[in-house]
Amino acid sequence: MKTKALGKQTRVLNCPPAVIGSACIVGQKEGEGPLRNEFDRIAEDSYFGQESWEKAESAMLRESLTLSCDKAAMSAASLDYVLSGDLLNQCISSSFALRELAVPFWGLYGACSTMAEAVGLGAMLIDGGFADRCAAMASSHFCSAERQFRTPLEYGAQRSPTAQWTVTGAGALVLSAEGSGPRITHVTPGHIVDAGIKDVGNMGACMAPAAYETLRSHFEDTGRTLADYDAVITGDLGRVGHELLCELLAGDGVVADERLTDCGMLIFDPKRQDVHAGGSGAGCCTSVLCGHILRCIRSGEWKRVLFAATGALMSSTSALQGESIPAICHAVVIEAEGGRRS
Amino acid sequence: MKTKALGKQTRVLNCPPAVIGSACIVGQKEGEGPLRNEFDRIAEDSYFGQESWEKAESAMLRESLTLSCDKAAMSAASLDYVLSGDLLNQCISSSFALRELAVPFWGLYGACSTMAEAVGLGAMLIDGGFADRCAAMASSHFCSAERQFRTPLEYGAQRSPTAQWTVTGAGALVLSAEGSGPRITHVTPGHIVDAGIKDVGNMGACMAPAAYETLRSHFEDTGRTLADYDAVITGDLGRVGHELLCELLAGDGVVADERLTDCGMLIFDPKRQDVHAGGSGAGCCTSVLCGHILRCIRSGEWKRVLFAATGALMSSTSALQGESIPAICHAVVIEAEGGRRS
């Protein structure tokens, strides 16, 4: 069987679904970063017109879905499935964003890797003949994440140099069996990698080995190298995790050049914005994907991109119980309509 | 497109995957209930040899996967995918159960509906040609759930008559494109239904409207009725939710008979065991499925079952912020090899 298998982990989509619409909304700080012109909307304050940060995150996610469907010239109600997840306990950002939409919902949890998981599964459901159109979406919010995972913001707790800044951002994209747009051609889902690291202030180090495993499998399965891509974009390793990933790849003789970058490094300006090791959060790679990456593909600047989102699968409870931090990385290949220049 | 669509929400699997192995492990209280002879293992204490309840839940889940793979005469390492989720914040029961297994992992969150979500997605991934063999699994633990969602056990808080008892249980099953066993023939994923209920002590009432919506869609899509099934088993509405579901169905002229039952009602004896409205938790319908339902299908007692797992998608935070409780219900049809009698 496994007619669509390529190597051990990678699946090739026979009829690659197209991204027919995408949109993202970010917070103020993200709206002051290097990608500020690539987001659909920048929230004016951290509450986004709501009465709590959790409700704000959910509203941003709902609004991203509406905007992406508008761009795809369709109603959200005509989607076959929505695949969504977020970092909040019990993924309430997603479930509350969707509670007025009568569309079958697959709830996902992949921490910061959720968007790649949603895109990968959505693309497979379409290619498998189970859906015409799916939305994939994810979110995070600096304030809701800080108070849930770390300390109340009011404490003003000191952050370590390896810490990353959870992005306030939400994004959604619509995948379709028909229509035109950037296409999902391959899916390489990852397995859990636990390098034994226990420092919850160093997510990059926890996730870099997972990113390495998925990239290694992807290259092995496809016979491709970094040079076959215009960009290989991890998310969200930040600067510390990115350097570790480069070291791990160097062990295999792979020299990482400027093609290999990371959503957590792209979204903030390390000189102007005090974010320590970079951005993180499910909304980080989601807004960079829906804002920046897809724009670069649509404009013709990039023809083929490997989007490899990473997630750290711990909780506050597991950290307090002294557990190390399991991580995962899911990757999808996105190609411009008409394929890659060569 | 949508070649496999039947009506609005239901998908028919062209080559229905078989359940080639399944196993479940439950806690002591569940092991004293009416289904005590149908579980693979009954834990001797709430810690399952671990140092915390969270670790116990995770160990039970890992052990269920091992047992189900043993029964399928295969190694877990040869699975193409594992689909899993649980009720703990950030689904740590699943991620820690799988951190030593190098198999691609799709993390799910569907609250108590997670097992049906995992079985449905796994079956579609196999039928779509993306996998030969997938494991679907889920868990919950009374003690880890109580302290996370409600109050520390030591408080001895009073429970309301509508409250359900979170099942300590974990289960896993292996779906395969080849081999023999009960087959997954249809998948009817649900959408979110929020009836506006805010009582976190009455999950049954929150979830009954979601169960109704999914059953209604399934019957409409397939042209079937209750009479076409040997059993239609929701999970985990409990007694209160079950009665509400019967009322909702009665509004459509559907007379619910003994074919319609609920995992939360099956797992405990209301006369002998003080569980108020019945069992709940992702591990409730999972252990009833892997222990009881599949046994009844394999024995020939039942030929066709509709397994409709329900989930309440709130969190402690959303409840504290005064939100109502969104719910969902995913359903799958499981048929005996050779189809249904008559």
Side-chain angles (χ1 to χ4, degrees), chain A:
Chain A
M1 306 297 286
K2 260 190 287 185
T3 52
K4 291 159 182 173
L6 192 65
K8 205 179 63 162
Q9 258 169 266
T10 303
R11 299 292 178 269
V12 185
L13 302 182
N14 289 337
C15 302
V19 180
I20 60 168
S22 62
C24 59
I25 300 173
V26 297
Q28 266 189 310
K29 191 181 184 88
E30 294 71 21
E32 291 162 1
L35 305 181
R36 59 187 164 278
N37 296 324
E38 314 215 28
F39 306 120
D40 292 86
R41 187 171 162 192
I42 295 164
E44 279 152 35
D45 67 22
S46 63
Y47 285 98
F48 200 67
Q50 305 294 313
E51 53 192 10
S52 75
W53 291 318
E54 290 76 14
K55 293 184 189 189
E57 182 181 336
S58 194
M60 289 169 75
L61 190 55
R62 184 167 49 242
E63 179 74 11
S64 298
L65 177 62
T66 305
L67 285 174
S68 66
C69 290
D70 286 350
K71 290 191 189 178
M74 62 178 286
S75 140
S78 67
L79 288 162
D80 293 305
Y81 300 132
V82 177
L83 300 100
S84 183
D86 54 90
L87 302 182
L88 294 181
N89 294 342
Q90 287 70 54
C91 302
I92 51 168
S93 178
S94 298
S95 49
F96 283 86
L98 297 166
R99 66 176 158 173
E100 274 145 38
L101 186 70
V103 167
F105 166 54
W106 302 108
L108 307 181
Y109 186 75
C112 305
S113 75
T114 301
M115 190 58 172
E117 182 181 359
V119 172
L121 274 177
M124 288 158 85
L125 288 172
I126 291 174
D127 191 45
F130 300 103
D132 280 337
R133 289 184 291 197
C134 296
M137 55 191 228
S139 66
S140 59
H141 191 301
F142 175 75
C143 305
S144 63
E146 280 299 302
R147 79 165 158 200
Q148 180 185 277
F149 286 107
R150 297 175 190 93
T151 55
L153 284 180
E154 294 80 354
Y155 285 12
Q158 196 89 3
R159 301 166 67 242
S160 68
T162 56
Q164 290 167 253
W165 187 278
T166 304
V167 161
T168 300
L173 58 79
V174 179
L175 293 166
S176 174
E178 295 184 348
S180 65
R183 293 191 179 272
I184 312 302
T185 61
H186 298 68
V187 182
T188 306
H191 60 79
I192 293 175
V193 178
D194 188 332
I197 296 164
K198 295 185 177 186
D199 181 0
V200 292
N202 192 351
M203 292 287 108
C206 300
M207 299 189 290
Y212 164 73
E213 282 294 331
T214 297
L215 293 187
R216 198 186 51 74
S217 293
H218 179 81
F219 292 142
E220 197 175 290
D221 289 350
T222 57
R224 294 179 178 173
T225 66
L226 266 184
D228 289 298
Y229 290 94
D230 296 304
V232 173
I233 309 184
T234 55
D236 313 309
L237 298 179
R239 191 176 35 76
V240 174
H242 176 74
E243 284 165 14
L244 288 169
L245 173 61
C246 292
E247 278 180 38
L248 289 167
L249 289 170
D252 291 346
V254 175
V255 182
D257 55 20
E258 74 290 341
R259 288 165 198 271
L260 180 67
T261 184
D262 181 80
C263 297
M265 292 161 68
L266 293 168
I267 199 164
F268 293 122
D269 181 339
K271 290 190 186 128
R272 284 191 306 107
Q273 297 180 295
D274 179 28
V275 294
H276 299 222
S280 70
C284 177
C285 66
T286 304
S287 54
V288 173
L289 172 66
C290 296
H292 177 61
I293 300 174
L294 288 170
R295 203 265 307 150
C296 289
I297 296 177
R298 287 194 191 99
S299 74
E301 189 178 334
W302 290 339
K303 297 289 183 188
R304 187 192 284 163
V305 173
L306 182 61
F307 173 68
T310 51
L313 302 172
M314 85 299 174
S315 76
S316 317
T317 303
S318 70
L320 287 171
Q321 293 186 1
E323 288 281 16
S324 55
I325 301 169
I328 199 161
C329 173
H330 297 299
V332 294
V333 177
I334 314 172
E335 284 198 10
E337 198 102 41
R340 188 176 185 249
R341 66 166 178 262
S342 68

